Amino acid sequence: MILVSDICLFHRADVDCSLVLMGESVDPSTLCPFCDEKLPPKPSPLYRSLLEAAKRKAYSDPRPTNPRGLKAPMSVYVASCKRHRFEVHQIPEAIAKGWPTDIDFGRVRERVENLSVSLAKLVRGEGGARNESIYWTTVIKEVQKVGSRAVSGVKGQFESFEKTQPGYYGELGSMILHQTLYNIFPPSSFDAQSITPLTPQDFIQRILVPEAALALIMEDMGQDRTQAAQTMRESAGYGVAMFPDTSEDPGVGAGEDIVLERARMRRRELEVEERME
């Protein structure tokens, strides 16, 4: 008896046929050509680009489990398969928690600029704003515990990195937040004495970035500060995977544009500092 899988095997990938697996009919076009698992119901543009890049370096390897199967060194498709697992398993969990799968990053800059008045109070230490900031109070507690040098040192910065991630806004959101905040509050505009033991750059990264992200999440989710802070912590890993920094991808220019703009801003800062000297 000739099985459907045998027919598909002979027809290979250029024939639109179905595959019988464990008694159920499966369309081979819905399977990953490398691991033979079902593709996400709505693959993201990033996953599609990773999969297409892997396909270009693979060769045909039809098999009973997938007549459209491909084969390649693991290094070729490992990024694609990691993304595949993320979209199949973690995205549904994120959706269940109300975390976004799509963010209008084009509006993030404007939304952060609208926060400039409240963030300026943090920068200047006005109206008890710093006492309300969990990120500033955390820094002060760390200073009291380990000293200002340890807090402002490399080890202290590394340990604070995870705490200041912008939740589900991910790496791309972090880049936009940093760039926007550097534009609103250039390091040269800070009163260095008032933000000790942090440098202006540290203050932006460790205080302003997470405060801005917290405000955005409060708006998105309709949550208070405590709830949004928990959401930001819990969704940080999801954000890194869902919205990575794609500046090294030649097909994505947003991250690269942000980096270039930051470089231009830094050059202008250096020119001002040189004139002051």
Side-chain angles (χ1 to χ4, degrees):
M1 183 176 71
I2 300 177
L3 299 175
V4 174
S5 57
D6 294 328
I7 296 173
C8 291
L9 182 60
F10 285 110
H11 282 74
R12 299 196 177 186
D14 55 342
V15 176
D16 184 16
C17 56
S18 293
L19 176 65
V20 175
L21 292 174
M22 296 180 291
E24 89 176 86
S25 179
V26 178
D27 180 354
S29 67
T30 65
L31 301 178
C32 170
F34 297 103
C35 69
D36 300 345
E37 296 292 329
K38 281 195 172 184
L39 295 171
K42 293 182 179 179
S44 69
L46 176 59
Y47 174 57
R48 288 199 298 268
S49 68
L50 290 171
L51 184 57
E52 288 304 315
K55 283 181 177 180
R56 288 194 291 271
K57 298 178 181 179
Y59 57 89
S60 180
D61 181 39
R63 43 196 177 263
T65 52
N66 189 353
R68 297 189 180 188
L70 298 175
K71 196 169 184 178
M74 185 178 293
S75 59
V76 168
Y77 61 84
V78 65
S80 169
C81 283
K82 283 176 67 177
R83 183 71 188 187
H84 181 180
R85 287 194 297 274
F86 168 77
E87 296 199 7
V88 168
H89 299 293
Q90 290 182 255
I91 287 183
E93 292 179 7
I95 292 173
K97 294 177 180 178
W99 302 343
T101 58
D102 183 49
I103 293 175
D104 185 355
F105 285 103
R107 289 196 59 242
V108 171
R109 186 189 300 264
E110 178 187 353
R111 293 177 66 193
V112 173
E113 289 172 347
N114 291 337
L115 301 170
S116 60
V117 173
S118 59
L119 293 176
K121 291 180 180 179
L122 259 176
V123 172
R124 294 192 292 265
E126 296 175 350
R130 290 182 182 174
N131 293 331
E132 297 175 4
S133 170
I134 57 174
Y135 306 104
W136 175 259
T137 55
T138 296
V139 167
I140 298 305
K141 288 177 182 177
E142 289 175 356
V143 169
Q144 294 170 347
K145 183 178 179 181
V146 300
S148 59
R149 283 190 178 182
V151 170
S152 59
V154 174
K155 186 173 183 289
Q157 292 178 19
F158 180 79
E159 290 177 347
S160 72
F161 180 76
E162 184 177 345
K163 300 175 186 176
T164 58
Q165 291 303 290
Y168 55 66
Y169 277 84
E171 293 178 342
L172 181 55
S174 180
M175 291 183 68
I176 297 172
L177 286 168
H178 274 87
Q179 177 59 56
T180 304
L181 291 166
Y182 266 97
N183 290 345
I184 300 172
F185 305 105
S188 58
S189 68
F190 281 76
D191 177 357
Q193 194 64 33
S194 76
I195 60 172
T196 302
L198 300 181
T199 65
Q201 290 83 353
D202 288 340
F203 193 92
I204 291 172
Q205 178 180 328
R206 298 179 62 171
I207 310 298
L208 295 184
V209 167
E211 279 291 343
L214 188 69
L216 296 183
I217 291 172
M218 289 171 67
E219 289 179 7
D220 296 340
M221 305 287 288
Q223 297 177 334
D224 61 27
R225 286 181 64 86
T226 301
Q227 294 169 326
Q230 182 176 347
T231 295
M232 195 159 86
R233 286 193 301 270
E234 292 178 352
S235 66
Y238 164 77
V240 170
M242 189 66 195
F243 304 110
D245 168 14
T246 53
S247 57
E248 294 183 1
D249 184 339
V252 182
E256 185 174 318
D257 289 344
I258 293 168
V259 171
L260 291 174
E261 175 62 21
R262 177 69 199 114
R264 285 192 288 269
M265 287 292 296
R266 183 55 184 155
R267 282 198 296 272
R268 288 197 288 271
E269 290 168 10
L270 291 172
E271 290 172 0
V272 171
E273 291 170 5
E274 287 175 1
R275 285 197 294 271
M276 292 175 65
E277 292 174 357

